[in-house]
Amino acid sequence: MRYFSGFRGGVGVALVWLLWLGLTSSAAAQTPGKMPLLRDLVLRTDTSNYALSRNTIAVQGEPNLYFYYRQEDETAEVLAYPIAFDPRNPLRLTRSADFVMVDSMTAVDGHYRVKIRFKELTAARFLKLTFAQNADSAGRLLTRTQAVNLLPVTRTTITFKPTDTELYVGEEKVFEISSNNPKNVRVSSDWTKGQDIDYRLTQENGVLHLHVLPNALGNRVLTLRPQTERPFLIENGRRVSYALAPVRQEFTVKASRLRFLSVDKKEVTLDDAARRRGVEIILDNGRTFDLKHTYRVEDQEEAGGALMAELFTRQYLTNDRVLCWLRVYNTHRQTEGYLYIKENDLPKYITNFNISPKTTVSAVSVRHRGGDWSTNLAVNPGETVDVRLEGESLQRARFHFEDLAVVPSDSSVRSDAAVVYRVQIPVTIDKKRITIFNAGQPTGYNLSVKEFQRPHPLDFVAVNFGEGARTINRLNGPVLYNRVISDVVFSFNSNGIDTENQLYGKQYLTFDIRTQNSKGELIEMRTVDNIVVCPGDNSVRAAFYQDKQCQVGNISLNNLLNSRKTYDLDDWSTIIITVKHNQGQYQEPGFTQKLELVLRRRVKFDIDVSFPGGLLTKYKGEPSYTSFGGISLAMLGQLSFYHPEKINRLRPYKVGAGFVALNAFDLSKTGGNRDLGIVVLGSIYPTRRDAKLTFPLYLGGGYLLSTGRPFFLLGPGIGVRL
């Protein structure tokens, strides 16, 4: 294919395309997996259609389907026309990291249609669409593929119209260049060499900057020859080009009163070696230099300037330059002005270079995601943090974080006073300290690796009071328990703390325990601090959590209670347990869960003494009730019934059996109808709990012991609550 890369016109492109199909077809005759799949391919954008049969151009000997784009994430519709359309064996578009398939590939009228959205077309390289289809060859199922190379092209323009065209020898000046697509203009940090005006292109925040440095006096023309990242078509689409049209601009270059001498080193570090022994530099020959002579370098033309450096001339070189020793004493930046080479306080030449202090780090701070900058250098495994280093001459430093990867970030800051790095802490890191290096030497600052210590929801705590282990945060409100609580046991699911994506670390818990009787009076109160639950073996940091303080096994409430155990509590006693995080161990609010266990009873049995009065009594064999009797005395064993939905609230009725002394307080000489009987009574009591004096109503029957007759009775009574 390389022999046809120089063809011109549509005939040459067509011959390249036909020859490519012919070579592919002949190869496919021998290898079924290489048979071509497509008869044609059309790429539709919002402005034009591009077909493989007519919009193909040879690049490095291979045909490419070119298309114009305007946006980095251009959306296009792909129409694929197969050589043999078979709905039972559809054509597939292989996924790629360079584009996203917006919808699925659909067969329509003998061809296939799919919509795709490209990603960063300017930066993408080796862009192609790969189609695949299953094929059956000699009973074997093969996959046939065909790749179509894509060539994104775009139109890029730049405009350079400076408002100031005066330059000075040796003085760098920066201009802004306008462009419709600055991302597509190739930039470089290297200067051009050997021109009247050297230049370099840079890009910052999407803006192009032209840096110029004049080398010769007079009216000089700067010729800028910019290159693009993505090409454009020339010669009516027959050839691609990366070179934009040259931009020419005339400048007036002026000289100062003193001759400017350029130096081979634009950056000198101020340290002990440069101050005592000096730095070897090569300087332009000043014509009047004396060898083996020391010259003073100051920052002002007048006498009495600050001593910036001393220049000692050693020997002449064959390229009309001078080898010198330079001893520096103060810092200087080129933007602050020129440096003057003096002899006997008289300026002889000017030069300029940076004298930078030795790279020193004076402060380090860390910012966690969503937080503020902090001088606390503790980081957690698995998290990504920003690290800011502050000091002097940091822009030239080569910082390195031990065992950490630096994550590229658009928000990174880099200057002489501060640099910001975004680093990712490996989740499996096994160091306690991460040293920060500069050019392989420790800076004296370290990041300390600290395990995550965040409060986890209390779903890893379970409680068992007789009905099996239940998660504590699912027990909301009082829990009414009908049987005796032999013990309350707390267990911990250590594997429920850390997950693959979320690390929480050790959980520091506090248990507040209170037991109280049915009247709400306190029986006992205990507080258990610093129960430490460590994540289990499923955590990637399990080996680093091991500690003697980690809770092993369950916690029994009876082992903590002193006065009365859970199985010795009376009816309707309450056990109140509050589980909460120890707030002193965390920097964010923890979780609290309250468990309230109530020893509910359905029936209550007790011995009741009451004074029924005005009873209507009916004896067996008598047609009617007797008249109202006097005050009687009843001693009954009674069953009381509790309300099923209320705590310690009795129903208004009771059932009992016992003895009744009829008219027990009748002290007349005749004795009245006094008698003693065995009875079964039902009583109805008022529901008010605060009443001291009550009047229950009795209904029942029994057997008189003296007369041996059964009887029935009905009537009120008097109840006194003490």
Side-chain angles (χ1 to χ4, degrees):
M1 297 300 297
R2 298 182 182 273
Y3 299 104
F4 295 91
S5 60
F7 272 32
R8 299 293 186 266
V11 176
V13 172
L15 286 177
V16 170
W17 173 242
L18 291 175
L19 181 57
W20 179 69
L21 285 178
L23 291 175
T24 310
S25 300
S26 61
Q30 301 176 4
T31 308
K34 297 296 184 179
M35 293 179 63
L37 301 177
L38 300 178
R39 174 169 49 89
D40 200 358
L41 179 72
V42 176
L43 191 70
R44 287 183 176 179
T45 64
D46 59 349
T47 56
S48 301
N49 296 342
Y50 302 93
L52 190 61
S53 57
R54 66 175 184 274
N55 298 106
T56 305
I57 191 168
V59 178
Q60 295 182 351
E62 294 185 1
N64 285 256
L65 171 61
Y66 68 83
F67 66 95
Y68 278 93
Y69 72 93
R70 294 184 301 172
Q71 300 176 351
E72 293 291 313
D73 57 347
E74 190 81 27
T75 300
E77 184 180 41
V78 179
L79 305 179
Y81 295 87
I83 294 177
F85 180 79
D86 185 1
R88 296 172 300 176
N89 187 13
L91 198 65
R92 304 188 307 273
L93 176 59
T94 304
R95 297 185 179 275
S96 170
D98 295 324
F99 59 84
V100 176
M101 296 177 62
V102 179
D103 53 15
S104 58
M105 201 163 184
T106 308
V108 180
D109 297 335
H111 66 277
Y112 295 91
R113 176 182 299 167
V114 64
K115 185 186 293 184
I116 62 175
R117 183 170 60 249
F118 293 100
K119 300 178 182 177
E120 298 183 359
L121 280 172
T122 301
R125 294 294 181 268
F126 308 107
L127 187 64
K128 63 177 61 179
L129 298 176
T130 304
F131 296 89
Q133 188 179 43
N134 294 332
D136 188 10
S137 175
R140 295 181 301 168
L141 186 62
L142 302 176
T143 300
R144 297 162 50 195
T145 60
Q146 180 177 344
V148 178
N149 296 327
L150 299 181
L151 180 64
V153 295
T154 183
R155 297 178 178 88
T156 303
T157 61
I158 63 172
T159 304
F160 179 41
K161 295 183 178 179
T163 57
D164 183 9
T165 59
E166 288 189 354
L167 302 177
Y168 294 90
V169 173
E171 180 180 345
E172 178 184 347
K173 199 166 186 177
V174 182
F175 299 93
E176 184 175 320
I177 295 182
S178 302
S179 175
N180 66 332
N181 191 0
K183 286 187 177 181
N184 196 41
V185 179
R186 186 171 300 173
V187 298
S188 174
S189 58
D190 297 330
W191 291 87
T192 61
K193 295 181 180 180
Q195 299 188 25
D196 291 341
I197 301 177
D198 290 327
Y199 70 90
R200 66 186 179 103
L201 280 173
T202 62
Q203 185 180 136
E204 183 178 358
N205 299 326
V207 179
L208 288 174
H209 292 96
L210 174 64
H211 301 249
V212 297
L213 186 64
N215 299 317
L217 297 175
N219 294 330
R220 302 292 174 176
V221 176
L222 169 66
T223 303
L224 178 64
R225 295 178 174 84
Q227 298 283 324
T228 60
E229 297 290 344
R230 278 295 179 189
F232 55 94
L233 299 181
I234 60 175
E235 299 180 5
N236 295 326
R238 291 175 295 178
R239 193 162 61 89
V240 297
S241 176
Y242 291 86
L244 295 175
V247 178
R248 293 179 174 84
Q249 177 63 45
E250 184 176 350
F251 289 96
T252 301
V253 181
K254 298 181 179 180
S256 62
R257 188 178 59 178
L258 302 174
R259 181 186 170 193
F260 183 87
L261 303 181
S262 62
V263 63
D264 65 331
K265 288 184 173 63
K266 295 295 184 182
E267 197 82 33
V268 179
T269 301
L270 176 60
D271 54 16
D272 289 340
R275 185 165 47 247
R276 292 181 176 273
R277 182 169 177 267
V279 178
E280 192 175 67
I281 65 171
I282 298 176
L283 189 68
D284 286 343
N285 187 3
R287 306 300 181 189
T288 61
F289 274 143
D290 294 328
L291 291 181
K292 309 300 181 181
H293 188 78
T294 300
Y295 295 87
R296 183 182 177 93
V297 180
E298 298 181 1
D299 62 348
Q300 69 179 31
E301 186 176 358
E302 294 77 12
L307 177 63
M308 311 305 294
E310 288 182 343
L311 185 69
F312 178 75
T313 56
R314 295 173 56 190
Q315 64 184 39
Y316 292 115
L317 302 178
T318 57
N319 58 353
D320 197 25
R321 309 198 78 184
V322 183
L323 182 65
C324 308
W325 281 113
L326 180 70
R327 297 182 179 90
V328 293
Y329 302 105
N330 279 306
T331 60
H332 173 76
R333 296 191 61 82
Q334 295 187 49
T335 55
E336 297 173 354
Y338 295 109
L339 293 175
Y340 296 84
I341 301 175
K342 295 183 178 182
E343 184 179 18
N344 299 327
D345 279 341
L346 297 178
K348 297 180 68 69
Y349 305 100
I350 61 172
T351 187
N352 212 354
F353 49 85
N354 291 327
I355 305 176
S356 303
K358 182 180 179 181
T359 299
T360 56
V361 179
S362 59
V364 178
S365 54
V366 171
R367 184 173 68 88
H368 300 266
R369 299 294 89 188
D372 295 326
W373 291 104
S374 171
T375 56
N376 183 2
L377 302 185
V379 295
N380 304 113
E383 71 170 343
T384 301
V385 298
D386 290 337
V387 181
R388 182 174 64 192
L389 296 90
E390 299 175 89
E392 290 184 328
S393 191
L394 301 183
Q395 198 164 8
R396 301 186 303 115
R398 292 178 294 159
F399 290 110
H400 168 68
F401 297 83
E402 184 181 14
D403 292 341
L404 298 190
V406 177
V407 180
S409 173
D410 294 337
S411 59
S412 61
V413 176
R414 190 170 185 87
S415 65
D416 276 344
V419 291
V420 176
Y421 292 93
R422 180 165 294 175
V423 296
Q424 186 173 21
I425 316 300
V427 72
T428 56
I429 190 168
D430 58 356
K431 289 182 171 62
K432 290 296 184 182
R433 293 187 178 276
I434 300 171
T435 304
I436 303 176
F437 293 94
N438 175 26
Q441 298 298 321
T443 60
Y445 289 89
N446 305 277
L447 301 180
S448 60
V449 179
K450 183 179 180 182
E451 302 299 331
F452 269 111
Q453 200 161 305
R454 299 184 298 173
H456 189 283
L458 297 174
D459 54 2
F460 65 93
V461 182
V463 61
N464 185 358
F465 48 85
E467 295 185 348
R470 301 167 64 180
T471 304
I472 191 172
N473 61 352
R474 295 184 179 180
L475 300 175
N476 297 318
V479 178
L480 306 181
Y481 193 65
N482 297 324
R483 297 186 294 274
V484 175
I485 299 179
S486 59
D487 198 358
V488 179
V489 179
F490 288 91
S491 58
F492 307 95
N493 178 20
S494 58
N495 289 332
I497 300 176
D498 279 358
T499 62
E500 183 178 355
N501 300 322
Q502 289 287 338
L503 300 178
Y504 290 88
K506 297 179 181 178
Q507 302 297 301
Y508 294 83
L509 303 179
T510 298
F511 282 67
D512 290 333
I513 304 167
R514 288 190 302 154
T515 57
Q516 57 189 31
N517 60 19
S518 60
K519 297 180 181 180
E521 298 171 343
L522 181 65
I523 299 176
E524 185 175 352
M525 182 171 62
R526 288 291 306 276
T527 298
V528 182
D529 292 323
N530 289 332
I531 295 178
V532 184
V533 183
C534 300
D537 295 335
N538 70 313
S539 174
V540 295
R541 304 294 299 173
F544 305 95
Y545 292 139
Q546 299 304 320
D547 195 330
K548 294 180 180 179
Q549 295 181 340
C550 295
Q551 177 67 30
V552 178
N554 302 332
I555 294 179
S556 171
L557 184 60
N558 282 337
N559 292 337
L560 303 176
L561 297 177
N562 295 324
S563 59
R564 299 184 67 177
K565 308 298 184 181
T566 58
Y567 49 77
D568 195 30
L569 295 175
D570 296 330
D571 297 347
W572 297 103
S573 295
T574 304
I575 303 173
I576 302 174
I577 304 172
T578 303
V579 182
K580 58 184 178 181
H581 283 98
N582 189 341
Q583 195 57 49
Q585 299 289 343
Y586 302 98
Q587 297 181 354
E588 54 187 288
F591 296 89
T592 301
Q593 186 66 39
K594 184 177 181 181
L595 172 63
E596 187 174 350
L597 294 176
V598 181
L599 279 67
R600 180 174 68 176
R601 298 294 180 262
R602 299 184 183 278
V603 179
K604 175 184 178 183
F605 176 79
D606 57 4
I607 303 298
D608 190 11
V609 177
S610 60
F611 303 93
L615 295 175
L616 292 175
T617 308
K618 183 179 184 303
Y619 300 97
K620 185 177 180 181
E622 294 185 0
S624 61
Y625 286 92
T626 61
S627 60
F628 292 100
I631 297 176
S632 302
L633 174 65
M635 179 176 291
L636 304 174
Q638 291 200 110
L639 293 177
S640 303
F641 303 91
Y642 287 101
H643 197 287
E645 298 178 356
K646 297 181 180 180
I647 298 177
N648 201 13
R649 292 295 298 271
L650 292 170
R651 297 243 188 208
Y653 53 83
K654 298 181 180 181
V655 176
F659 298 94
V660 61
L662 296 174
N663 299 315
F665 295 94
D666 187 356
L667 303 179
S668 63
K669 294 181 180 181
T670 60
N673 294 324
R674 285 189 297 175
D675 204 343
L676 180 65
I678 300 175
V679 294
V680 175
L681 288 179
S683 56
I684 300 176
Y685 281 79
T687 58
R688 290 179 54 196
R689 293 194 296 179
D690 57 347
K692 301 299 183 181
L693 182 64
T694 59
F695 299 93
L697 187 63
Y698 295 95
L699 174 63
Y703 185 81
L704 293 176
L705 298 179
S706 60
T707 60
R709 290 188 301 169
F711 69 97
F712 299 94
L713 58 86
L714 171 68
I718 300 174
V720 179
R721 185 185 301 272
L722 301 178

